């Protein structure tokens, strides 16, 4: 069964064709980053208009790139939640139009849940980037042309971690489509905190890759500044990143009301930092942010049996921040230490894409959970 996936929840217009929930035949992502650059954030109206222009050409490229025709498809899938309402509507309308005109089932896939599926997909040639990471992936059986469901089911129950620009959540997963959220950020998403940190430090957007690059530079001292890590209550699996962000701001500009000054002078901004200060601050921020996530992952694993009623067999991860080099290294090390399988998406599937939508749709369709033409967007205020 070939499924066409469409994803337009924020500022990427994406389409993909995936076979049997496992093998990516094509994955096309048209980014709008340049359109939003001068506004330092996604402008919803500009995003919707750009999706309208891009969606059909992107679908056409995905179908052609897969070497198939629309007649070969078995279903059309789309992410109707969460995201920007105008952006979601464009993808939903395109998917409904295609499904109706081709007489195909329509499947609605939760965008955040789909991020957790990205690491279970396999490139067409069987050669996946995750192999180069040295991180074990659940469905990476060499030479298989579709998801090996026996391998995939041996991953559950699993702990799921989504860290993106709009979401930071922990899940207990019984299968790719049966999951319960057990923790989430109470303020900023992790990617959002990275983006704001980059702005404070005077770095380019998207901020995550900028901070990551700087923190990885030779000589960067990740202990130069001790930033706070929010633990919340002892039991809590929730996270908080706004205090960390404010601490970075104060480290650059000085603490208001205390007559303090920034590292070198009064009323400084990120642009006034020396290269070394900026590097050390980026490394220290990144370390604290990733420490905070790992703390909650560790706590969730300790409590896992109580929450899931069975031992944890794998940690599935997804979202833009899983591209972060420190987070990848820390998760891989944790997996080795605990003898747990850690599934990280290949770098190209960390950020928003439609392959993860088409892949997860296979399981929803198989479980009889198709949508109908009343499928409506469920927006969030941020994406
Ligand atoms: O998953 P995604 O494309 O969008 C949402 O669904 O939100 O994630 C985008 C986020 C941005 O905040 C970006 O700064 C962050 O992922 N990101 C990173 C890295 N690469 C992307 N954050 C930290 N380190 C990275 N290497
Ligand atoms: Zn996303």
């Amino acid at each position: 069964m070939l499924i066409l996936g469409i994803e337009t929840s924020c500022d990427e217009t994406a389409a993909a064709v995936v076979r049997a929930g496992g093998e990516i035949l094509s994955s096309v992502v048209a980014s709008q980053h340049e359109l939003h650059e001068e506004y330092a954030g996604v402008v919803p109206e500009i995003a919707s208009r750009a999706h309208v222009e891009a969606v059909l050409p992107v679908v056409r490229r995905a179908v052609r790139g897969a070497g198939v025709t629309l007649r070969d498809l078995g279903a059309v899938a789309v992410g109707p939640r969460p995201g920007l309402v105008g952006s979601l509507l464009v993808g939903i309308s395109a998917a409904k139009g295609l499904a109706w005109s081709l007489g195909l089932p329509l499947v609605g896939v939760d965008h955040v849940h789909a991020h957790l599926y990205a690491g279970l997909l396999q490139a067409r040639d069987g050669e996946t980037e995750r192999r180069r990471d040295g991180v074990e992936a659940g469905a990476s059986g060499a030479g298989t042309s579709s998801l090996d469901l026996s391998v995939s089911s041996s991953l559950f129950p699993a702990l799921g971690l989504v860290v993106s620009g709009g979401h930071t959540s922990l899940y207990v997963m019984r299968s790719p489509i049966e999951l319960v959220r057990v923790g989430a950020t109470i303020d900023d998403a992790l990617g959002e905190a990275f983006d704001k940190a980059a702005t404070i430090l005077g770095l380019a957007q998207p901020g995550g890759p900028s901070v990551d690059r700087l923190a990885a530079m030779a000589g960067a001292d990740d202990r130069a500044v001790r930033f706070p890590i929010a633990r919340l209550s002892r039991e809590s699996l929730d996270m908080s990143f706004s205090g960390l962000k404010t601490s970075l701001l104060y480290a650059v500009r000085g603490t208001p009301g205390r007559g303090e000054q920034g590292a070198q002078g009064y009323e400084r901004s990120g642009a006034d930092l020396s290269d070394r200060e900026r590097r050390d601050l980026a490394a220290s921020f990144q370390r604290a942010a990733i420490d905070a996530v790992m703390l909650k992952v560790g706590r969730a694993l300790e409590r896992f049996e109580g929450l899931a009623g069975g031992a944890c067999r794998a940690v599935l991860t997804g979202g833009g921040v899983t591209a972060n080099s420190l987070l990848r290294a820390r998760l891989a090390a944790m997996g080795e230490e605990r003898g747990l399988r850690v599934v990280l998406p290949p770098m190209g599937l960390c950020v928003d894409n439609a392959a993860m939508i088409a892949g997860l749709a296979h399981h929803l369709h198989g479980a009889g959970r198709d949508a109908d033409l009343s499928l409506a967007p469920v927006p969030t205020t941020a994406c």
Side-chain angles (χ1 to χ4, degrees), residues 15-28:
V17 176
V18 172
R19 192 200 305 276
E23 186 191 12
I24 304 171
L25 301 191
S26 65
S27 177
V28 178

Side-chain angles (χ1 to χ4, degrees), residues 94-121:
K96 280 184 185 174
L98 281 165
W100 179 77
S101 60
L102 295 165
L104 293 175
L106 176 69
V107 189
V109 179
D110 185 289
H111 174 95
V112 185
H113 298 175
H115 269 303
L116 291 170
Y117 198 76
L120 300 179
L121 292 162

Side-chain angles (χ1 to χ4, degrees), residues 7 9 111 115 164-165 167 319-320 350-352 356:
E7 153 62 38
S9 65
H111 174 95
H115 269 303
S164 74
H167 305 276
C350 292
V351 290
D352 290 347
M356 65 187 194

Side-chain angles (χ1 to χ4, degrees), residues 238-298:
D238 288 338
M239 292 166 257
S240 164
F241 299 102
S242 68
L244 171 60
K245 176 190 66 189
T246 308
S247 298
L248 175 67
L249 185 72
Y250 290 175
V252 172
R253 297 193 182 165
T255 309
R258 286 205 202 151
E260 284 180 11
Q261 298 180 341
Q264 247 176 17
Y266 196 60
E267 287 277 305
R268 294 194 329 146
S269 76
D272 303 316
L273 295 167
S274 71
D275 288 350
R276 182 180 172 173
E277 283 171 326
R278 193 175 291 114
R279 219 170 47 206
D280 288 351
L281 284 165
S284 302
F285 170 87
Q286 177 170 280
R287 177 160 180 263
I290 302 305
D291 276 352
V293 175
M294 294 306 297
L295 176 89
K296 295 300 166 129
V297 169

Side-chain angles (χ1 to χ4, degrees), residues 27-369:
S27 177
V28 178
V29 181
S31 172
Q32 307 174 1
H33 287 175
E34 280 169 18
L35 295 178
H36 303 283
E37 215 163 28
E38 65 177 293
Y39 305 102
V42 176
V43 182
E45 191 59 27
I46 293 176
S48 322
R49 284 165 192 251
H51 284 308
V52 170
E53 285 175 20
V55 70
L56 290 182
V58 164
V59 165
R60 217 170 281 133
R61 273 171 56 202
V63 172
R64 276 203 202 123
V68 301
T69 69
L70 289 173
R71 302 261 156 234
D72 298 319
L73 299 174
V76 180
V78 66
R81 64 180 177 273
L84 297 168
V85 67
S87 294
L88 292 168
L89 263 175
V90 177
I92 293 173
S93 306
K96 280 184 185 174
L98 281 165
W100 179 77
S101 60
L102 295 165
L104 293 175
L106 176 69
V107 189
V109 179
D110 185 289
H111 174 95
V112 185
H113 298 175
H115 269 303
L116 291 170
Y117 198 76
L120 300 179
L121 292 162
Q122 195 182 355
R124 189 173 214 170
D125 57 9
E127 190 48 55
T128 60
E129 278 183 64
R130 57 182 169 253
R131 291 181 176 282
R132 289 195 284 278
D133 290 337
V135 175
E136 188 179 7
S140 63
T144 53
S145 61
S146 64
L147 179 66
D148 178 346
L149 288 173
S150 61
V151 173
S152 144
S153 59
S154 75
L155 297 170
F156 299 98
L159 180 70
L161 169 71
V162 177
V163 278
S164 74
H167 305 276
T168 300
S169 308
L170 282 163
Y171 295 87
V172 165
M173 306 177 70
R174 296 191 177 284
S175 79
I177 57 171
E178 291 166 275
L179 57 170
V180 179
R181 199 172 76 175
V182 292
T185 180
I186 58 168
D187 40 54
D188 292 350
L190 184 58
E192 188 185 356
F194 267 95
D195 292 339
K196 288 176 179 167
T199 302
I200 293 168
L201 293 171
L203 303 172
Q205 293 297 329
S210 301
V211 172
D212 194 355
R213 258 194 310 276
L214 209 58
M217 284 175 77
D221 180 2
D222 64 3
R223 289 171 194 270
V225 183
R226 284 210 172 266
F227 286 121
I229 291 172
R231 286 175 166 75
L232 305 177
S233 71
R234 248 188 46 197
E235 284 288 290
S236 176
L237 297 178
D238 288 338
M239 292 166 257
S240 164
F241 299 102
S242 68
L244 171 60
K245 176 190 66 189
T246 308
S247 298
L248 175 67
L249 185 72
Y250 290 175
V252 172
R253 297 193 182 165
T255 309
R258 286 205 202 151
E260 284 180 11
Q261 298 180 341
Q264 247 176 17
Y266 196 60
E267 287 277 305
R268 294 194 329 146
S269 76
D272 303 316
L273 295 167
S274 71
D275 288 350
R276 182 180 172 173
E277 283 171 326
R278 193 175 291 114
R279 219 170 47 206
D280 288 351
L281 284 165
S284 302
F285 170 87
Q286 177 170 280
R287 177 160 180 263
I290 302 305
D291 276 352
V293 175
M294 294 306 297
L295 176 89
K296 295 300 166 129
V297 169
R299 198 177 273 181
L301 287 172
E302 274 154 30
R303 293 185 46 200
F304 192 87
E305 281 211 54
L307 293 166
C312 181
R313 300 171 92 168
V315 179
L316 305 193
T317 66
V321 189
T322 50
N324 183 269
S325 57
L326 180 63
L327 180 60
R328 291 179 89 85
R330 293 284 297 277
L331 284 166
M334 182 202 72
E336 261 178 40
E337 233 168 70
R338 292 180 179 253
L340 254 185
R341 303 170 84 161
V342 173
V343 180
L344 287 163
M347 291 299 272
L349 295 182
C350 292
V351 290
D352 290 347
N353 65 84
M356 65 187 194
I357 301 285
L360 189 54
H362 175 79
H363 296 271
L364 289 163
H365 178 68
R369 284 162 60 177

